[in-house]
Amino acid sequence: MYVNEVLFIAENQVITKDYYADFNSFEFIFVTPDNLFDMIEPVQISVWGKSSTGELVTAHRLVSEELLGDGNGGEKGATGATGPAGEQGPPGMTGPTGAGVTGATGSTGPQGSTGPAGSGAGATGHTGPTGITGMTGITGLTGVTGLTGVTGLTGVTGLTGVTGVTGATGTLSTAYAVSFADSPAIAVILASNEKINFATPVESLGITWDATSKDFTVPADGIYQVTCTVFIASGTDGVFEFMSGPGPSAVSRSIAYASSSDSVTMLEIFSLNANDKIAVSNGGNVSVTMLTGTYDGRTPNYAMITIVKIS
């Protein structure tokens, strides 16, 4: 097997040729004019082999400058002695098997006699796998709603139960008091921290009044609601507050202010023990003139108070 190819290569041109063959060895022969003096310019060839990865392979190298020198050619030297023969190369690969023609098929022989029938039936084959369940069918239409049955007769009304015993009448509270303060002619001036002098309660249960200390006293432990309204005279103003406890002392959260010819109402819830006191005082640092006198033939109150035990 060989390749015979004529290539025309321009000056300094590089060409690449790919050949594929399954050989253990190969030989390249390049033919150029052997008399360099007959040529205007010498012809020099460089050939390099490449591996499958594209790397240059030194064993396949042919460089003209290494064989002929890098000059433009001198006289042809004497032929050198023949070198020793190289080692014998490995045997070539075995050639392909020849493709002979297959002979014609012979004629069909006569049919043999039928053999005796086998004894007994053959074994039953294995049951095959269960097939895939088919798709659920479409739901049928809903049937027509039946007619409503006839309403049954109303049962007999049961007898009325016996009326329970009436409970005892409850009381408003187990302790309360209502009182007022007024003056028909004498001006009432409350000094700073002075208590209002209420009259004896007009209505009371359990709660007592002390005119000397000007305190109300509660009879038992419990929750008490206290409401008080005061009126002041024209041209004055004042601050009022509740006082509570065994002393009693001022309650700082219960403070109210009233100005000229005005009134103010205070409401507070107290948790008191038995015998604790409740009072109302001038909580400011100046005196306050209360609304007194007779108007339209009547004497109005300048203070009213209600105390009720609610729990």
Side-chain angles (χ1 to χ4, degrees):
M1 181 177 181
Y2 65 90
V3 176
N4 184 5
E5 188 173 6
V6 179
L7 304 174
F8 296 94
I9 306 174
E11 181 181 358
N12 294 324
Q13 182 181 0
V14 176
I15 65 173
T16 300
K17 303 295 291 184
D18 296 327
Y19 302 102
Y20 300 91
D22 188 10
F23 294 130
N24 292 332
S25 62
F26 49 84
E27 179 182 15
F28 292 96
I29 299 175
F30 299 91
V31 180
T32 62
D34 60 348
N35 187 355
L36 299 179
F37 295 98
D38 296 337
M39 299 171 58
I40 299 175
E41 293 292 337
V43 176
Q44 298 184 1
I45 298 175
S46 295
V47 180
W48 295 76
K50 287 187 177 182
S51 67
S52 61
T53 60
E55 301 292 333
L56 295 179
V57 180
T58 304
H60 305 157
R61 186 180 68 175
L62 171 63
V63 181
S64 295
E65 290 181 356
E66 295 177 0
L67 300 177
L68 303 177
D70 57 359
N72 291 328
E75 294 182 358
K76 182 176 182 180
T79 301
T82 301
E87 296 180 358
Q88 181 178 351
M93 299 178 63
T94 303
T97 303
V101 179
T102 303
T105 304
S107 59
T108 304
Q111 182 176 351
S113 60
T114 303
S119 60
T124 303
H126 295 290
T127 303
T130 303
I132 300 173
T133 303
M135 298 178 64
T136 303
I138 300 173
T139 303
L141 299 174
T142 302
V144 179
T145 302
L147 298 174
T148 303
V150 179
T151 303
L153 297 175
T154 303
V156 179
T157 303
L159 298 174
T160 303
V162 179
T163 303
V165 179
T166 303
T169 303
T171 59
L172 174 65
S173 174
T174 58
Y176 58 86
V178 179
S179 183
F180 306 93
D182 60 18
S183 178
I186 303 173
V188 176
I189 300 175
L190 286 184
S192 176
N193 298 321
E194 183 180 355
K195 300 175 185 178
I196 295 177
N197 187 18
F198 289 97
T200 300
V202 294
E203 294 288 344
S204 67
L205 176 63
I207 298 176
T208 59
W209 165 252
D210 187 336
T212 302
S213 64
K214 301 177 182 178
D215 297 325
F216 293 93
T217 302
V218 299
D221 298 351
I223 305 300
Y224 291 80
Q225 175 179 299
V226 183
T227 305
C228 180
T229 302
V230 295
F231 298 84
I232 62 173
S234 176
T236 186
D237 59 5
V239 175
F240 300 89
E241 64 182 346
F242 285 125
M243 303 178 73
S244 68
S249 59
V251 182
S252 60
R253 68 176 182 266
S254 301
I255 299 176
Y257 170 77
S259 60
S260 178
S261 296
D262 199 358
S263 65
V264 64
T265 298
M266 299 182 294
L267 187 149
E268 183 63 86
I269 302 294
F270 294 97
S271 176
L272 302 175
N273 297 321
N275 299 317
D276 276 356
K277 314 295 183 183
I278 296 176
V280 181
S281 69
N282 174 9
N285 55 10
V286 296
S287 298
V288 180
T289 302
M290 308 306 292
L291 180 64
T292 58
T294 300
Y295 300 90
D296 298 332
R298 304 296 299 273
T299 301
N301 307 121
Y302 64 81
M304 296 174 288
I305 188 170
T306 301
I307 304 172
V308 180
K309 184 176 184 293
I310 59 176
S311 175

